[in-house]
Structures are given as C-alpha cells and as structure tokens.
Amino acid sequence: MIAHALAEKGDIGAAAARWQAYLARSWPASTWVPEALRFARALLRHPKEDHAEEAIRLARRVLDEAPGGAGAGEAKEILEQALSTLPFARRKPFLDPGPADLLARARALLASRQDKEALAVTEALIALPEAQAPSAFACDAFAARGEALGRVRRRAEAADIYGTAIERCGPAAPAAAAVASAPAAPATAGAGAPAPRRPETLYNAARASFRVDRHAEAAARFALLEKEYPDHRLADDARYLGARALLALGDQAQFVQMLTAMPDDYPSGDMVADGLFELALFEMERDSWAGAVRPLELGLARFPHERAYHAAGRFPYYLGRAHIETGSPDKGKALLEEVIRDYPLSFYMALAHARLAHADPAAAQRALSAALERDASAPYAELRSPLFARPAFTRAVELARQGEAKLARRELDALGVGSRTAPREVMWASAFLLARAGALPQSYSILRTAMAAPSADDGRVELAGDWVDHYPAGRWRSAWELAYPRPFAALVAAEAKRSGIPEALAYAIMREESAFDPKVASPAQAYGLMQLIVPTAKRMAKPLGLPSSAEALRRPEVNIALGCRYLSVLRGQFSDNPLLAIPAYNAGGGAPKRWIAERPSQSFDLWVERIPYEETRLYTKRVLTSLAVYELLYAGDQPSEALRTPLPASPAARSAVANAAP
C-alpha cells in the first residue's frame, strides 16, 4: 500500500525500493503476481530506459514463473509496451537471450508447470551450438528437454532425449563419489566444463525409461548411477527402482538380492522402507505370507511410526495380515488393533478396521472407541505467541471480522504464514481466523501447505505432528475440521442427495482434486472444484440441463452437480465395491475394470498397492483417507464405507473365479 501511495505521488524511486523489497520475499503467486504487474505499470508511467528494462524483467518473471500462466495476458502487454520504448541496442538482449538466460527460462517454465511453453523453449535450447558437445550447459539443456517431453506425455521421446543428455553430461568426475552430495554449481556454456547434475540426469533418464517399460535400459541407467555415485542422495532410489526394473524383466533372484541388501548398503537411505515393503509385497502377491514376515518385521523395527499418508501404518497392518494367514490370529489381531489405535483415519487404519471387523466386529468397535475416548480426554491448550501483538496480526483479525479474507491473508503472510516460517502457533491461529471469517478454502490452504514435510534445515514449520496422531475428539476435533472443511455445504448436500452418493465422498474428491478452489484449472484442462474435463462434463450435463463449458465449470453450482453425477455413474459401474469409483474418477472407468480382469481374485488392499499408475495409486489412498475422515467427522451416525471396505477388490469377480474352478 505504501508503494502504491508513493507511486501515485510521483516518487517512483521510493516506490520502486518498496516494491523490490516486497517482491524479494517469499509470497504466494496470488500475492506477488498482481504486485509485480502493478510495479511494472507504475514504472512505465514514468518513461525512462532503466524503468523499461525493469518492467521487462518483471513481465518476464510473471510469464515464466507464475503457476499456470497467471497474469500472462497483462504481462505480455507490458512486455510489448516496454520493448517498444527501448532503442535497438538495449532491446536486443531481451529479444535474443543468451544460452544461460534461455536455460534459466526453461527451468522457470517447468517449475511453474507451463509445459507447452517449456517445450518450445527447450527445443530452441538444444539446437544452440553450445549444446552440441559435452558440457554442464549441454547436460542441463538436454535434461530440461527430456523433462518437458515427459510433462506433455511424449514419454518415449523423453527417454531417448535423456540418453543424449547422459552423453552431453560427459563421464563422471574421478572424485564423483566424494562430491556427489555437494551443492550443484551453476551451469556454464563452456565446452568440457564439469556436469554437476549428471547423477540427477542419470536418475531422471532411468525413470523415463522405466515409465515406458524399457526395463533393461532403465536397469542399466539405475545401475550406472549406483556405480558412479554410491554416496549420492539418489543412490538408494536407484537401487529400489533398479530392482523393480529387473523384476519386470523376470529376474526375481536379483530383485530379492538387491532389496535384501538395501538396509545394509544404504543404512541412512530414505528409500529403505519402500525397498523392504516392495520385498514383502512380492512375497504376499505370491501368497507366500511366511516369506513376507521377515521384511515386514525389519521394516517395522527400523521405521516404527511412518507418517506419510501413503505409508502410515503399512508395516504393522500387513504384518498383522501375515500373522493371521500363517496361523497366529491373536498376534495378527493385536497388530490390527495397534494400527487402529496409532494411525487415526489413515488409509491403513481403514483397512485394519475393515479386516478386523470382518473377523471380530466387537474387537474393531472396541479399538476405535478406546482411541476416541483417549483423545477426547486430552487437556485443552491455549495458543500463545508474541506475534499476536504485532500490528499485522491485529490488522488481520479486524480484516477477517469485516469479511476481507484476501487482505487478512496478506497481513498474515507478512508474518511468515505464506512462506511457512511463522511459528507453529501463528500458523494454527491464522487458519482458525480465516475459518471463522468464512474463508474455508483459504484456511485450508494454510494447513495444506504446512502439512507437507519441509526439506531439512530450511526453516519452515510442519504441522502434521500436532494433530494427525490423534482422533478428531476433544481438543483435536477443531484441527481436523480445519483440515477437512465443508465449503459450499448447501450445494454439496443437495447435489449429493440428488445423485445418490455420500456427501463425504463428494468432499473427499473435491479436497484432493482442487483444494476447494473453484477457479483452478489443471494442465490437462480439467476445471473447477471437482476437476472435470469438458467432454466428461458434457455427458453429465445433458440430462441435467446444465452448461458444460470451461467457464461454466468454474461455477460451484455447475461443477458440484456434474461431479456428483459422474461419481454416481461410476459407482453404478462397480456395484459390488463402490469404492472402485475412486480410482475410476482419476484414471477413467475402464482402467479399474481392466485391473480387476487381470487380478480378479486379489484382495482390495493388495489390488490398490498394485495399481499400475502411480498417480492413481496415491490418489486412491488420499481419497480413501479423506473419505474416512469426512465420514467420522460429519456422518458418524451413518454406516462408514471407508471403514468397511470389502476384503476382495471385486467380490463378484472373485466369486466368478471360484465358481469356474473345477
């Protein structure tokens, strides 16, 4: 506001200093993009060549760094206007950027998910003379091209280009192992320069090969990474994925050997847990439950309480199953009860409850009730922080009371909320404040970003441990309600009823699809709260007499109606297990049908673990977790689908196989 006032008074120098300091801080795109554009416009209102150049840099930043191309139209206008005011000599560097600038632009476009633009820039990048011989620049240029091709699903081409990237990176430095984990030096255009990002390029190249089922090539690339950089942070990732590539080639012995040795070879590796779990899955899929016990026990001993949503509770859950399958039902039930007690409303807690309820309904109810009673009795604690006395927080409170959620959020971001550097108490208080003001999506956005674990030593706070270890009872309930809100409540209630689906399912899908942002659009042209593409929306809209354009899908009343109807249609296709509508919503209705046909007798838990699309597999776990939460929080008096998942993935398919057996 001060910068705006200074600019209006004509003091552009002082205003520029304010804007530059403001934009140097970490802000959400919704905050920094409008300010960058205002700053650029203000500069152009005071004609000067230096001002025009600064306006060009600001416009370029918006064009390259704003997620999804936000503000691109205005930025292009500013760019053209500013360029037109410069003499040719000063305009030329902006029109014909050098190799380093072009590479930086490609990286910015990739980071902001502007994949088509990145594809065009990287095409020009790899054609430069500087990219034709091994060097750090050439390595990074071809690696960026490979990433861009993968983003637009030209995956076979990506794997090929990554092969060229490996060549352009040149051979590993003699002391590669010693410096593998050191920070990468900036890329230069000089031929023969070292390629500090060679290990990352090898890893991404191998993953690109893996994605297109070129498993021999993937295994060779992963093995090369392990050989050249045994101490690199990605070496254990290469071991894990390399073993999976060899298994896909049928080399079971090498797969088992590599993963069995992984805990000793990489004692601090962050992929060791996944390696042990993959080894256990290999045994369980073969119905060798006795063979699964050892890796599951090792995993539980080394990782006694995993927190990631896709992994929390997996070792005790499957160890419990293994004990039941191998004739130790009491040990197995005790472990299932432990999962119910210690991993509230997680994916594996839902599976544990369903399996225990099938064998002993009273035991499942006792375990859940005891956990709820335990957390209901926790004493309440008042949030305190000296930052609550800061003028910015006071202004945020008053703005929230007036319903000015955006302005309140801006004040909170000044305290470090947006950058996740504010104290934990301020993060929580900010979320509560916006929720009380009725800004449920904005409140949830604070928790959503803070629930992701930060990188080590980056100074950002992480909120997961405050509440996810407790059930939504007593003092903990309000935190769960913030993290799992119910915006657009009247619309969801009406449309869920009309379509005959649970409200909890509509909210679970909406939470994971859009984070409750009605205006969001994905790179795949999916729109709105429930992320519908136009062709699907048209099919759902016709019987309801609703519009289905991209613009219409940004309206909550349209999007929710069509999304609920689509869920109803999908659930009708899987009447024996309506939960299969969840992966179908992500991958299309035909995908789960194919996977059921391939594995008709498989249990639901193992079936989910082996969904071949990683995105759909993780999506299914997230949505089932959210479904369990919404059911318990807001529909506790109704039967739960998430906590009563069918044991087979498809009871009908399993029954058909059994009946066909001789």
Side-chain angles (χ1 to χ4, degrees):
M1 293 181 181
I2 295 174
H4 299 165
L6 289 167
E8 289 297 321
K9 288 177 60 179
D11 192 349
I12 190 62
R18 290 275 186 174
W19 260 312
Q20 287 164 349
Y22 182 85
L23 292 171
R25 299 173 64 183
S26 176
W27 298 103
S30 59
T31 299
W32 75 259
V33 169
E35 289 304 321
L37 294 172
R38 289 189 189 102
F39 182 18
R41 288 287 190 197
L43 288 166
L44 293 179
R45 286 196 294 271
H46 296 79
K48 194 176 178 183
E49 289 182 5
D50 288 347
H51 291 175
E53 289 184 344
E54 179 68 9
I56 291 169
R57 285 189 284 271
L58 289 165
R60 270 278 167 229
R61 181 183 174 190
V62 171
L63 287 169
D64 296 347
E65 298 179 23
E74 186 176 354
K76 288 177 182 177
E77 292 177 5
I78 291 170
L79 183 63
E80 291 175 4
Q81 183 180 348
L83 284 169
S84 69
T85 66
L86 289 176
F88 178 76
R90 297 188 72 163
R91 186 167 66 242
K92 187 175 185 298
F94 295 105
L95 298 174
D96 187 18
D101 289 337
L102 202 61
L103 177 59
R105 187 173 180 220
R107 286 176 171 162
L109 289 167
L110 287 167
S112 61
R113 306 296 302 188
Q114 298 186 68
D115 302 333
K116 292 181 180 179
E117 292 80 0
L119 195 66
V121 171
T122 56
E123 185 175 14
L125 196 61
I126 63 172
L128 293 173
E130 293 85 352
Q132 306 314 308
S135 69
F137 173 80
C139 173
D140 292 347
F142 276 90
R145 178 64 175 173
E147 183 177 353
L149 287 166
R151 291 276 190 87
V152 297
R153 300 183 183 274
R154 290 164 60 178
R155 291 173 178 152
E157 292 176 69
D160 292 337
I161 282 289
Y162 270 120
T164 306
I166 294 171
E167 295 173 5
R168 294 293 192 272
C169 288
V179 300
S181 297
T188 63
R197 296 185 181 87
R198 177 177 169 84
E200 288 83 358
T201 300
L202 279 169
Y203 179 73
N204 290 328
R207 282 185 63 90
S209 301
F210 192 89
R211 288 192 182 102
V212 292
D213 298 331
R214 286 155 50 172
H215 295 117
E217 182 178 74
R221 288 174 173 179
F222 284 128
L224 187 59
L225 171 55
E226 273 202 273
K227 178 183 177 182
E228 292 184 357
Y229 302 93
D231 297 325
H232 193 273
R233 61 181 177 81
L234 292 173
D236 61 318
D237 299 63
R239 169 67 63 86
Y240 168 68
L241 291 171
R244 288 181 56 190
L246 288 169
L247 181 62
L249 292 169
D251 194 341
Q252 297 182 358
Q254 188 67 10
F255 166 84
V256 171
Q257 180 182 333
M258 289 173 69
L259 294 187
T260 300
M262 197 172 175
D264 294 327
D265 293 346
Y266 298 102
S268 302
D270 61 0
M271 293 299 293
V272 171
D274 285 347
L276 290 170
F277 187 63
E278 189 70 28
L279 192 55
L281 278 177
F282 170 70
E283 299 291 351
M284 291 185 289
E285 280 194 298
R286 298 193 302 169
D287 209 27
S288 174
W289 290 93
V293 169
R294 180 60 178 160
L296 291 170
E297 288 179 337
L298 283 173
L300 184 56
R302 290 193 57 160
F303 308 96
H305 195 90
E306 294 184 284
R307 300 195 93 122
Y309 74 89
H310 65 276
R314 60 181 172 177
F315 284 119
Y317 169 72
Y318 280 111
L319 186 56
R321 274 211 67 185
H323 283 313
I324 292 171
E325 297 287 348
T326 55
S328 299
D330 291 341
K331 288 174 68 176
K333 288 180 181 179
L335 281 165
L336 296 181
E337 290 175 7
E338 177 186 318
V339 176
I340 294 171
R341 180 183 70 242
D342 295 342
Y343 299 90
L345 300 176
S346 66
F347 172 70
Y348 290 101
M349 175 270 167
L351 295 178
H353 187 279
R355 190 159 291 277
L356 186 58
H358 180 76
D360 188 344
Q365 185 57 48
R366 282 195 305 271
L368 180 56
S369 297
L372 287 165
E373 290 172 9
R374 173 199 66 197
D375 291 331
S377 63
Y380 282 81
E382 184 178 351
L383 291 174
R384 296 178 181 274
S385 172
L387 268 66
F388 293 161
R390 293 273 187 91
F393 191 82
T394 302
R395 288 193 296 269
V397 171
E398 293 305 318
L399 287 165
R401 284 176 178 168
Q402 299 301 317
E404 297 288 351
K406 288 185 178 180
L407 294 176
R409 177 61 194 264
R410 184 173 298 181
E411 297 293 343
L412 296 171
D413 285 344
L415 298 173
V417 170
S419 60
R420 289 174 57 184
T421 56
R424 198 177 303 263
E425 296 80 8
V426 174
M427 298 289 286
W428 276 116
S430 299
F432 278 110
L433 182 64
L434 293 176
R436 290 291 178 87
L440 293 178
Q442 294 88 334
S443 169
Y444 170 62
S445 73
I446 293 175
L447 294 187
R448 183 179 178 88
T449 56
M451 282 189 287
S455 303
D457 303 322
D458 71 354
R460 297 184 298 162
V461 300
E462 185 257 323
L463 297 181
D466 284 300
W467 56 280
V468 296
D469 290 337
H470 303 274
Y471 276 87
R475 63 174 287 197
W476 305 107
R477 183 179 177 91
S478 56
W480 283 88
E481 289 177 345
L482 284 177
Y484 293 85
R486 292 189 296 173
F488 315 105
L491 282 173
V492 173
E495 296 301 339
K497 182 177 181 180
R498 175 160 70 158
S499 294
I501 67 167
E503 285 184 44
L505 178 61
Y507 278 118
I509 293 288
M510 198 185 305
R511 182 181 188 268
E512 304 310 323
E513 288 285 352
S514 67
F516 306 111
D517 181 355
K519 304 297 184 185
V520 69
S522 78
Q525 284 78 55
Y527 300 97
L529 290 166
M530 300 183 79
Q531 285 292 278
L532 295 165
I533 59 174
V534 171
T536 301
K538 283 183 178 178
R539 295 200 310 271
M540 298 303 109
K542 189 173 182 180
L544 299 179
L546 289 172
S548 57
S549 66
E551 189 58 37
L553 290 175
R554 291 182 168 92
R555 290 160 48 193
E557 68 275 14
V558 173
N559 197 286
I560 292 171
L562 301 184
C564 287
R565 176 168 174 77
Y566 186 40
L567 280 170
S568 178
V569 169
L570 291 174
R571 282 165 66 86
Q573 296 176 12
F574 303 101
S575 57
D576 62 331
N577 183 1
L579 293 177
L580 295 178
I582 294 171
Y585 197 91
N586 179 262
K593 293 175 183 176
R594 291 196 306 273
W595 303 330
I596 290 292
E598 293 166 1
R599 297 172 277 144
S601 299
Q602 198 164 42
S603 59
F604 180 69
D605 49 10
L606 293 177
W607 186 88
V608 172
E609 306 290 1
R610 287 308 191 205
I611 289 176
Y613 304 160
E614 181 182 32
E615 176 189 330
T616 304
R617 182 169 64 253
L618 296 178
Y619 176 88
T620 301
K621 291 185 177 184
R622 287 199 309 274
V623 174
L624 274 168
T625 298
S626 292
L627 177 61
V629 176
Y630 276 107
E631 286 178 336
L632 188 68
L633 269 179
Y634 305 112
D637 58 339
Q638 302 171 28
S640 167
E641 288 190 1
L643 300 187
R644 289 175 171 78
T645 59
L647 300 191
S650 172
R654 177 180 284 189
S655 178
V657 169
N659 291 336

